[in-house]
Amino acid sequence: MHSPGSSFSYGAKKAAEYTCDARHFAIIPAMQNRRLTPLDRLLVGANNALKTVAAPAGRTARANPANAIAEGSLDSLEKAHAAGLMRVNHAGEVAAQALYQGHATVARDRNIEAQMQRAADEEFDHLAWCEQRLSELGEAPSRLSPFWYAGAYAIGAASGILGDKWSLGFIAETERQVCAHLEHHLDDLPAEDARSRAIVMQMRDEEEEHGENAIDAGAADLPAPIKKLMEITARVMTRTAYWV
Ligand SMILES: [Fe+2]
Ligand SMILES: [Fe+2]
């Protein structure tokens, strides 16, 4: 757990883990000297959306956790199943990018905005690692990525407009649900697929941290019907992205 106001030391600790300064996305007015205009934000947001859904993820800031792990001997059915699960995870990371970008765009507190950007940077590594694994398994990301991005961005911005504590509450609940879902994938991945498992384990640990940071920063507890709705939406996305 992180204590309130610990976001700076958290950021410094995370920065020390990075192997290079490969910032893929650029929203972060908090790290710039001037406030972005609404038009700046729109253009940066459009650029980030295109990078997420239409460009190869490219260089990550941190090494892929599967790098030192040998490829397992998967038969064709196991490969297809692992690819389906990793496509679901990739779609989740596309949505995570959009959510964090959407939240950060409307965040009122600059510290929260910066915290969201740090999380978005880690989510980008997750996105790239899933993409790399999918390619190793001979498959591609979901063809519905633009749809996942647009939906999640709208939800992120809408909850952000209600205020930071609701936006953080939304993040905390999203990350909680994602952790549960990744735990399920750790059980469900083929036993031989240690490379996918290493990626999913690191993602699970970091999603947990994102959720704790959101709670420490003052997340509100969302009403039960909203949590339920989020679960239903996530179920639609995961069931569809497994196949498409
Ligand atoms: Fe993630
Ligand atoms: Fe996360």
Side-chain angles (χ1 to χ4, degrees):
M1 291 290 285
H2 302 277
S3 59
S6 67
S7 58
F8 179 78
S9 56
Y10 167 73
K13 178 174 91 64
K14 280 289 164 194
E17 293 170 10
Y18 280 48
T19 54
C20 64
D21 184 24
R23 186 172 295 284
H24 190 73
F25 298 101
I27 60 177
I28 315 299
M31 294 180 183
Q32 299 172 350
N33 290 331
R34 70 183 179 89
R35 203 72 177 146
L36 296 187
T37 66
L39 180 61
D40 289 335
R41 283 170 178 271
L42 190 70
L43 292 174
V44 170
N47 184 42
N48 289 339
L50 278 172
K51 279 180 171 173
T52 304
V53 302
R59 196 167 65 142
T60 58
R62 295 169 301 159
N64 187 321
N67 273 355
I69 297 173
E71 185 61 80
S73 55
L74 305 176
D75 65 29
S76 58
L77 278 179
E78 287 173 329
K79 249 185 173 177
H81 181 51
L85 296 179
M86 293 310 281
R87 186 161 39 246
V88 168
N89 292 331
H90 182 275
E93 296 300 334
V94 167
Q97 276 303 322
L99 266 183
Y100 277 105
Q101 301 289 343
H103 283 300
T105 304
V106 295
R108 291 161 171 80
D109 181 317
R110 284 199 163 198
N111 289 326
I112 290 174
E113 187 180 3
Q115 179 180 327
M116 287 181 183
Q117 181 62 42
R118 276 195 300 276
D121 286 346
E122 291 186 354
E123 305 291 10
F124 168 70
D125 283 354
H126 301 172
L127 179 80
W129 297 335
C130 288
E131 188 177 311
Q132 286 161 9
R133 186 61 190 143
L134 268 171
S135 150
E136 288 169 9
L137 292 164
E139 297 213 19
S142 171
R143 291 195 293 279
L144 298 174
S145 288
F147 180 72
W148 310 135
Y149 191 98
Y153 187 91
I155 293 170
S159 71
I161 285 167
L162 295 174
D164 287 343
K165 75 171 189 168
W166 293 107
S167 159
L168 289 164
F170 190 82
I171 286 175
E173 176 60 17
T174 302
E175 297 287 14
R176 188 193 67 74
Q177 292 187 14
V178 169
C179 282
H181 155 87
L182 292 175
E183 285 289 352
H184 171 64
H185 277 199
L186 286 172
D187 289 339
D188 205 16
L189 277 165
E192 277 284 310
D193 193 358
R195 284 179 71 82
S196 297
R197 190 167 279 104
I199 293 170
V200 173
M201 278 169 73
Q202 180 148 350
M203 284 165 55
R204 189 244 353 244
D205 291 349
E206 292 181 355
E207 313 306 8
E208 207 169 78
E209 216 168 40
H210 297 160
E212 286 174 358
N213 288 337
I215 290 168
D216 290 347
D221 189 24
L222 299 185
I226 300 286
K227 291 181 183 174
K228 192 75 208 160
L229 191 64
M230 288 164 71
E231 271 173 25
I232 294 167
T233 310
R235 205 172 305 142
V236 170
M237 191 183 94
T238 54
R239 291 198 177 159
T240 311
Y242 182 91
W243 301 105
V244 188

